Amino acid sequence: MLSFWFNIPLWQRVIGALILGIITGFLWGPEAESIKWIGDFFIKSIKMLVVPLIFFSLVSGIVAIGDLRKLGRVGGRTILMFVVTGQIAVWLGIALAAIIQPGAGVDTSAIQKGITPVPNDASAVDLILSIVPESPVQVMADANVLPLIVFAMLIAIGILMAKKDGEPLIKIFDSGAIVMQKVTMIIMELTPFGVFALMAWVSGALGLDALQSLAILVGLNYLGCLIIILVIYSAMIKFLARLPVGDFFRGIVDAMAVGYSTASSSATLPVTLRCTQRNLGVSQSVSSFVVSLGSTINMDGTAMYLGLATLFGAQLFGIDLTWGDYVMISITATLGSIGAAGIPGTGLIMMALVFGSVGVPLETIAFIAGVDRIMDMMRTATNVTGDSAVAVTVAVMTDEIDVKEMVSADDV
Ligand code: ASP
């Protein structure tokens, strides 16, 4: 029985739980609230991961950038492009959600009473002060992510400055990041139960409206990712790299397909590397640096999604966001996409970070979780395409590409 359960891929179990939860909610009505505690258990477990996951993966990620010095010019341009495309992506997500309003019009009053509002009363000065971690331990205890990220960055810089003396800590953080990925996998096993209970509760209390808004959210996620791929990446290849866009996509299509089906940038990494080197002609050193680093820190699909989902949650629960909040979302979503590991579902976990920064209830995560996988697949295909697009552009800028290889990509 147990092996039968685990033989079904997690995402299929989650979608099954989503459908069953919705049916149960419709049949059971508002009474379904009696199983909401199972969903709360799941949300609490996700929250538990945020601090250690960000801390370990951010420090180990930044320490890995320490190799930047070796790669000099390549590193600077790569990071700049990662950050610029990430910012464009978040703002695209924010714009799509602000225009289409996928979460508006759903009457959530029936579920509001079960929700703990997150306080959100920071002014600009408070915001600046709040990123300084007065006590790192306090910051961790409160799961206050922005100062935590600042602290993690400082630790990483300190480790790099300490050179040989910092090496034992590099090992600890690298291994901590791997361990946290495993712990994340364990917690993700709770997803079907959490999704079932929360969907039953939500659909029992809200009815069809809620489902319609989820369908619009999925549609917007696909639209946003397509805009990133077809407009932003195409423009990068055409105007910055000055190469034929069609050949780029023909060369990278394998990685896109593997990214889409595995929903993991890390699992796709070998394929992305092969496509970037063999089909697109990028040199070994530039492709391995840019694509490996990109698979963990460059996630434009995820960044767009975080912007989109945060506004969705705010609309759902009637929270008014200011321009200051949007800026906050753009910062935390970019950091979240950097901190997210390239494995399935991490975008969902990073939502806790972004939501917390602007006061959107974490229950939104549970609301979205059932349809996350379908969106995750598209985000990941976008993420891996972005890694290759940056690799090609940087390679052209630094003369590390064999263009003949790329143009003849159709015979690979
Ligand atoms: N699964 C995505 C990736 O590996 C991350 C995410 O959940 O958005 O790229």
Side-chain angles (χ1 to χ4, degrees):
M1 174 68 196
L2 210 58
S3 68
F4 170 72
W5 174 257
F6 284 109
N7 276 341
I8 308 172
L10 180 63
W11 68 274
Q12 291 179 8
R13 278 180 274 150
V14 172
I15 291 184
L18 167 90
I19 297 168
L20 274 182
I22 294 172
I23 297 172
T24 309
F26 277 137
L27 298 177
W28 202 357
E31 299 288 291
E33 191 178 351
S34 57
I35 55 166
K36 176 179 171 275
W37 67 271
I38 303 174
D40 292 339
F41 188 94
F42 166 63
I43 295 177
K44 264 186 110 172
S45 317
I46 290 190
K47 280 196 196 162
M48 169 184 78
L49 296 177
V50 174
V51 168
L53 192 66
I54 293 182
F55 192 52
F56 282 113
S57 54
L58 212 61
V59 175
S60 107
I62 299 171
V63 170
I65 306 176
D67 291 333
L68 272 184
R69 296 205 191 117
K70 266 193 269 158
L71 286 172
R73 297 191 311 145
V74 175
R77 280 160 216 242
T78 305
I79 303 292
L80 183 72
M81 252 184 263
F82 284 171
V83 172
V84 171
T85 52
Q87 275 294 307
I88 296 176
V90 190
W91 285 101
L92 173 68
I94 293 177
L96 283 175
I99 297 167
I100 315 280
Q101 306 255 334
V106 182
D107 179 10
T108 50
S109 53
I111 58 171
Q112 293 275 15
K113 58 178 162 45
I115 295 207
T116 357
V118 188
N120 172 35
D121 48 8
S123 72
V125 175
D126 289 341
L127 187 74
I128 295 170
L129 285 178
S130 71
I131 62 171
V132 187
E134 197 171 339
S135 150
V137 179
Q138 186 72 44
V139 160
M140 287 187 193
D142 295 344
N144 201 349
V145 282
L146 214 53
L148 177 67
I149 286 171
V150 173
F151 183 62
M153 285 178 167
L154 286 171
I155 295 280
I157 293 169
I159 290 176
L160 288 176
M161 287 170 72
K163 299 211 171 80
K164 246 192 135 23
D165 289 334
E167 273 168 18
L169 270 188
I170 298 184
K171 285 214 175 76
I172 291 178
F173 278 101
D174 284 350
S175 116
I178 295 169
V179 170
M180 282 316 299
Q181 283 194 19
K182 304 285 178 215
V183 178
T184 306
M185 277 166 59
I186 301 174
I187 298 300
M188 293 312 279
E189 289 296 331
L190 295 177
T191 317
F193 306 103
V195 165
F196 171 78
L198 289 155
M199 285 317 291
W201 166 57
V202 168
S203 62
L206 300 182
L208 262 179
D209 276 4
L211 300 182
Q212 216 174 8
S213 67
L214 273 183
I216 301 175
L217 180 74
V218 174
L220 285 182
N221 175 81
Y222 273 73
L223 178 66
C225 285
L226 283 174
I227 294 177
I228 295 176
I229 295 175
L230 296 177
V231 179
I232 301 174
Y233 297 155
S234 296
M236 260 168 81
I237 298 297
K238 193 168 165 55
F239 299 112
L240 287 180
R242 294 181 190 282
L243 289 171
V245 176
D247 287 331
F248 169 75
F249 284 116
R250 206 173 317 143
I252 194 66
V253 73
D254 290 355
M256 290 173 89
V258 175
Y260 190 82
S261 50
T262 60
S264 166
S265 300
S266 296
T268 314
L269 179 63
V271 187
T272 321
L273 265 177
R274 185 178 175 279
C275 291
T276 314
Q277 286 170 7
R278 273 201 55 191
N279 303 0
L280 303 177
V282 177
S283 76
Q284 158 95 26
S285 70
V286 166
S287 60
S288 41
F289 174 75
V290 180
V291 175
S292 316
L293 193 63
S295 73
T296 56
I297 73 166
N298 181 45
M299 298 193 180
D300 298 335
T302 307
M304 188 279 306
Y305 177 61
L306 289 173
L308 177 66
T310 310
L311 262 73
F312 177 77
Q315 290 159 2
L316 213 55
F317 292 101
I319 293 165
D320 286 326
L321 297 178
T322 60
W323 275 100
D325 290 330
Y326 288 167
V327 172
M328 189 69 176
I329 295 171
S330 80
I331 297 170
T332 48
T334 310
L335 290 171
S337 69
I338 292 173
I343 55 175
T346 37
L348 197 68
I349 292 182
M350 286 302 147
M351 274 184 198
L353 183 164
V354 189
F355 287 5
S357 70
V358 291
V360 170
L362 293 185
E363 277 72 5
T364 313
I365 300 178
F367 191 62
I368 296 176
V371 286
D372 184 65
R373 177 71 184 209
I374 323 168
M375 297 192 277
D376 195 1
M377 293 161 74
M378 190 64 197
R379 303 199 293 268
T380 310
T382 312
N383 294 344
V384 299
T385 312
D387 297 339
S388 294
V390 172
V392 167
T393 312
V394 170
V396 168
M397 288 174 167
T398 51
D399 205 14
E400 291 270 351
I401 190 167
D402 182 350
V403 179
K404 282 198 298 308
E405 283 279 329
M406 180 172 181
V407 180
S408 60
D410 42 356
D411 43 50
V412 221

mmCIF file of all heavy atoms in Angstrom, residues 78-97:
data_model
loop_
_atom_site.group_PDB
_atom_site.id
_atom_site.type_symbol
_atom_site.label_atom_id
_atom_site.label_comp_id
_atom_site.label_asym_id
_atom_site.label_seq_id
_atom_site.Cartn_x
_atom_site.Cartn_y
_atom_site.Cartn_z
ATOM 1 N N THR A 78 27.609 38.539 -15.965
ATOM 2 C CA THR A 78 26.623 37.495 -15.706
ATOM 3 C C THR A 78 25.673 37.929 -14.593
ATOM 4 O O THR A 78 24.447 37.876 -14.742
ATOM 5 C CB THR A 78 27.339 36.194 -15.270
ATOM 6 O OG1 THR A 78 28.287 35.862 -16.268
ATOM 7 C CG2 THR A 78 26.369 35.058 -15.077
ATOM 8 N N ILE A 79 26.251 38.373 -13.482
ATOM 9 C CA ILE A 79 25.412 38.759 -12.341
ATOM 10 C C ILE A 79 24.506 39.931 -12.724
ATOM 11 O O ILE A 79 23.326 39.945 -12.410
ATOM 12 C CB ILE A 79 26.286 39.171 -11.119
ATOM 13 C CG1 ILE A 79 27.228 38.031 -10.730
ATOM 14 C CG2 ILE A 79 25.432 39.607 -9.937
ATOM 15 C CD1 ILE A 79 26.534 36.820 -10.175
ATOM 16 N N LEU A 80 25.087 40.904 -13.448
ATOM 17 C CA LEU A 80 24.293 42.062 -13.859
ATOM 18 C C LEU A 80 23.093 41.598 -14.685
ATOM 19 O O LEU A 80 21.958 42.016 -14.464
ATOM 20 C CB LEU A 80 25.165 43.025 -14.678
ATOM 21 C CG LEU A 80 24.455 44.309 -15.093
ATOM 22 C CD1 LEU A 80 24.258 45.202 -13.875
ATOM 23 C CD2 LEU A 80 25.242 45.061 -16.153
ATOM 24 N N MET A 81 23.342 40.681 -15.608
ATOM 25 C CA MET A 81 22.243 40.216 -16.465
ATOM 26 C C MET A 81 21.219 39.395 -15.690
ATOM 27 O O MET A 81 20.021 39.494 -15.935
ATOM 28 C CB MET A 81 22.798 39.418 -17.618
ATOM 29 C CG MET A 81 22.667 40.202 -18.905
ATOM 30 S SD MET A 81 23.201 39.241 -20.266
ATOM 31 C CE MET A 81 24.834 39.846 -20.396
ATOM 32 N N PHE A 82 21.704 38.609 -14.750
ATOM 33 C CA PHE A 82 20.779 37.844 -13.903
ATOM 34 C C PHE A 82 19.845 38.798 -13.152
ATOM 35 O O PHE A 82 18.638 38.606 -13.096
ATOM 36 C CB PHE A 82 21.540 37.008 -12.858
ATOM 37 C CG PHE A 82 22.195 35.750 -13.401
ATOM 38 C CD1 PHE A 82 23.062 35.008 -12.606
ATOM 39 C CD2 PHE A 82 21.931 35.296 -14.684
ATOM 40 C CE1 PHE A 82 23.656 33.843 -13.080
ATOM 41 C CE2 PHE A 82 22.528 34.135 -15.176
ATOM 42 C CZ PHE A 82 23.392 33.415 -14.371
ATOM 43 N N VAL A 83 20.455 39.833 -12.578
ATOM 44 C CA VAL A 83 19.662 40.748 -11.750
ATOM 45 C C VAL A 83 18.685 41.559 -12.614
ATOM 46 O O VAL A 83 17.504 41.686 -12.283
ATOM 47 C CB VAL A 83 20.581 41.696 -10.931
ATOM 48 C CG1 VAL A 83 19.773 42.775 -10.235
ATOM 49 C CG2 VAL A 83 21.373 40.895 -9.907
ATOM 50 N N VAL A 84 19.181 42.070 -13.769
ATOM 51 C CA VAL A 84 18.314 42.896 -14.619
ATOM 52 C C VAL A 84 17.140 42.071 -15.154
ATOM 53 O O VAL A 84 15.978 42.480 -15.065
ATOM 54 C CB VAL A 84 19.118 43.527 -15.787
ATOM 55 C CG1 VAL A 84 18.182 44.198 -16.779
ATOM 56 C CG2 VAL A 84 20.124 44.532 -15.238
ATOM 57 N N THR A 85 17.421 40.860 -15.662
ATOM 58 C CA THR A 85 16.308 40.058 -16.197
ATOM 59 C C THR A 85 15.358 39.650 -15.067
ATOM 60 O O THR A 85 14.143 39.613 -15.258
ATOM 61 C CB THR A 85 16.799 38.795 -16.948
ATOM 62 O OG1 THR A 85 17.700 38.074 -16.094
ATOM 63 C CG2 THR A 85 17.484 39.143 -18.240
ATOM 64 N N GLY A 86 15.919 39.384 -13.887
ATOM 65 C CA GLY A 86 15.078 39.020 -12.734
ATOM 66 C C GLY A 86 14.135 40.150 -12.377
ATOM 67 O O GLY A 86 12.948 39.946 -12.137
ATOM 68 N N GLN A 87 14.661 41.376 -12.380
ATOM 69 C CA GLN A 87 13.828 42.542 -12.059
ATOM 70 C C GLN A 87 12.727 42.742 -13.102
ATOM 71 O O GLN A 87 11.573 42.976 -12.754
ATOM 72 C CB GLN A 87 14.702 43.809 -12.001
ATOM 73 C CG GLN A 87 15.355 44.030 -10.651
ATOM 74 C CD GLN A 87 14.330 44.311 -9.568
ATOM 75 O OE1 GLN A 87 13.498 45.191 -9.689
ATOM 76 N NE2 GLN A 87 14.357 43.528 -8.508
ATOM 77 N N ILE A 88 13.103 42.621 -14.378
ATOM 78 C CA ILE A 88 12.093 42.775 -15.442
ATOM 79 C C ILE A 88 10.997 41.732 -15.224
ATOM 80 O O ILE A 88 9.800 42.016 -15.321
ATOM 81 C CB ILE A 88 12.728 42.589 -16.846
ATOM 82 C CG1 ILE A 88 13.764 43.686 -17.109
ATOM 83 C CG2 ILE A 88 11.653 42.598 -17.937
ATOM 84 C CD1 ILE A 88 14.526 43.547 -18.413
ATOM 85 N N ALA A 89 11.423 40.506 -14.877
ATOM 86 C CA ALA A 89 10.456 39.417 -14.704
ATOM 87 C C ALA A 89 9.488 39.700 -13.550
ATOM 88 O O ALA A 89 8.279 39.541 -13.707
ATOM 89 C CB ALA A 89 11.193 38.102 -14.475
ATOM 90 N N VAL A 90 10.016 40.139 -12.391
ATOM 91 C CA VAL A 90 9.105 40.396 -11.263
ATOM 92 C C VAL A 90 8.096 41.479 -11.617
ATOM 93 O O VAL A 90 6.907 41.351 -11.340
ATOM 94 C CB VAL A 90 9.850 40.924 -10.011
ATOM 95 C CG1 VAL A 90 8.923 40.946 -8.815
ATOM 96 C CG2 VAL A 90 11.076 40.145 -9.684
ATOM 97 N N TRP A 91 8.599 42.558 -12.231
ATOM 98 C CA TRP A 91 7.689 43.664 -12.561
ATOM 99 C C TRP A 91 6.655 43.242 -13.593
ATOM 100 O O TRP A 91 5.520 43.720 -13.594
ATOM 101 C CB TRP A 91 8.473 44.908 -13.006
ATOM 102 C CG TRP A 91 9.101 45.593 -11.817
ATOM 103 C CD1 TRP A 91 10.405 45.507 -11.420
ATOM 104 C CD2 TRP A 91 8.434 46.414 -10.825
ATOM 105 N NE1 TRP A 91 10.600 46.231 -10.257
ATOM 106 C CE2 TRP A 91 9.416 46.801 -9.879
ATOM 107 C CE3 TRP A 91 7.130 46.855 -10.665
ATOM 108 C CZ2 TRP A 91 9.113 47.607 -8.777
ATOM 109 C CZ3 TRP A 91 6.821 47.655 -9.566
ATOM 110 C CH2 TRP A 91 7.812 48.029 -8.639
ATOM 111 N N LEU A 92 7.053 42.312 -14.473
ATOM 112 C CA LEU A 92 6.084 41.771 -15.437
ATOM 113 C C LEU A 92 4.976 41.027 -14.684
ATOM 114 O O LEU A 92 3.783 41.203 -14.970
ATOM 115 C CB LEU A 92 6.803 40.828 -16.417
ATOM 116 C CG LEU A 92 5.906 40.059 -17.371
ATOM 117 C CD1 LEU A 92 5.247 40.996 -18.370
ATOM 118 C CD2 LEU A 92 6.708 38.988 -18.131
ATOM 119 N N GLY A 93 5.381 40.206 -13.705
ATOM 120 C CA GLY A 93 4.399 39.470 -12.899
ATOM 121 C C GLY A 93 3.469 40.423 -12.162
ATOM 122 O O GLY A 93 2.251 40.236 -12.135
ATOM 123 N N ILE A 94 4.060 41.484 -11.581
ATOM 124 C CA ILE A 94 3.262 42.474 -10.849
ATOM 125 C C ILE A 94 2.271 43.147 -11.811
ATOM 126 O O ILE A 94 1.082 43.276 -11.521
ATOM 127 C CB ILE A 94 4.183 43.530 -10.188
ATOM 128 C CG1 ILE A 94 5.022 42.879 -9.079
ATOM 129 C CG2 ILE A 94 3.373 44.713 -9.650
ATOM 130 C CD1 ILE A 94 6.018 43.801 -8.401
ATOM 131 N N ALA A 95 2.778 43.523 -13.009
ATOM 132 C CA ALA A 95 1.922 44.224 -13.973
ATOM 133 C C ALA A 95 0.777 43.330 -14.432
ATOM 134 O O ALA A 95 -0.383 43.765 -14.473
ATOM 135 C CB ALA A 95 2.754 44.685 -15.176
ATOM 136 N N LEU A 96 1.075 42.081 -14.748
ATOM 137 C CA LEU A 96 0.019 41.175 -15.221
ATOM 138 C C LEU A 96 -1.078 41.037 -14.164
ATOM 139 O O LEU A 96 -2.273 41.101 -14.471
ATOM 140 C CB LEU A 96 0.601 39.787 -15.523
ATOM 141 C CG LEU A 96 1.389 39.648 -16.832
ATOM 142 C CD1 LEU A 96 2.006 38.249 -16.928
ATOM 143 C CD2 LEU A 96 0.480 39.888 -18.028
ATOM 144 N N ALA A 97 -0.637 40.854 -12.903
ATOM 145 C CA ALA A 97 -1.630 40.667 -11.841
ATOM 146 C C ALA A 97 -2.403 41.955 -11.576
ATOM 147 O O ALA A 97 -3.597 41.921 -11.279
ATOM 148 C CB ALA A 97 -0.948 40.191 -10.564
#
